[in-house]
């Protein structure tokens, strides 16, 4: 495999190819804490996560402001944007969907952080 691919003119670096492509080495930093989920819905489309995409989620990574996380909200798993603040909040990444106040949610657990998104190219 090559280390990078040019999206413009061919690169003379094509003569220097690496070995076998191991996606696990690239995508997974902590194997026991890493999970792959299939996305259902369009609530995260404004950050480039679409229906039927795959997301790699690491449970060992502490979320930072503005990252996509898996939250368990009232027992249901969901992708949300994590916002630090007082209090912290979870939001959709779809301008067509209304935000919901965290006060309306009785139970929230941050399950893990999305570290990679996998999807087919869109035509």
């Amino acid at each position: 495999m090559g280390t990078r691919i040019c999206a413009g003119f061919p690169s003379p670096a094509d003569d220097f190819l690496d070995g076998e492509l191991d996606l696990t080495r690239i995508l997974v930093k902590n194997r026991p804490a890493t999970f792959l989920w299939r996305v259902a819905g369009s609530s995260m489309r404004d950050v480039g996560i679409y229906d039927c995409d795959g997301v790699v989620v690491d449970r060992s990574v502490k979320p930072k402001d503005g990252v996509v996380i898996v939250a368990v909200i009232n027992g249901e798993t969901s992708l949300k944007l994590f916002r630090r603040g007082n209090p912290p909040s979870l939001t959709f990444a779809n301008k067509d969907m209304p935000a919901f106040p965290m006060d309306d949610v009785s139970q929230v657990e941050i399950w893990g952080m999305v570290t990679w998104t996998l999807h087919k190219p869109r035509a």
Side-chain angles (χ1 to χ4, degrees):
M1 86 148 187
T3 55
R4 296 177 189 255
I5 188 164
C6 177
F9 295 102
S11 170
D14 287 345
D15 295 335
F16 302 97
L17 298 177
D18 288 342
E20 182 179 327
L21 175 63
D22 181 356
L23 288 178
T24 304
R25 277 191 13 227
I26 296 169
L27 302 177
V28 178
K29 299 300 178 209
N30 185 347
R31 188 178 208 116
T34 302
F35 298 82
L36 181 64
W37 293 63
R38 174 81 60 195
V39 176
S42 61
S43 69
M44 302 308 289
R45 71 174 191 205
D46 294 343
V47 292
I49 300 175
Y50 305 97
D51 187 45
C52 295
D53 282 355
V55 289
V56 178
V57 178
D58 190 332
R59 294 200 71 187
S60 68
V61 178
K62 185 175 179 176
K64 302 174 191 122
D65 184 55
V67 300
V68 178
I69 55 102
V70 172
V72 180
I73 303 171
N74 295 332
E76 189 172 327
T77 55
S78 180
L79 289 180
K80 296 288 182 271
L81 282 175
F82 176 73
R83 299 289 184 195
R84 286 216 184 270
N86 194 9
S89 64
L90 304 176
T91 63
F92 297 110
N94 181 333
K95 64 180 187 271
D96 296 332
M97 298 181 89
F100 62 93
M102 289 299 293
D103 297 345
D104 292 351
V105 179
S106 60
Q107 273 190 330
V108 175
E109 174 192 356
I110 296 180
W111 194 86
M113 188 178 91
V114 173
T115 56
W116 288 90
T117 304
L118 311 168
H119 63 255
K120 291 182 180 181
R122 308 284 192 263

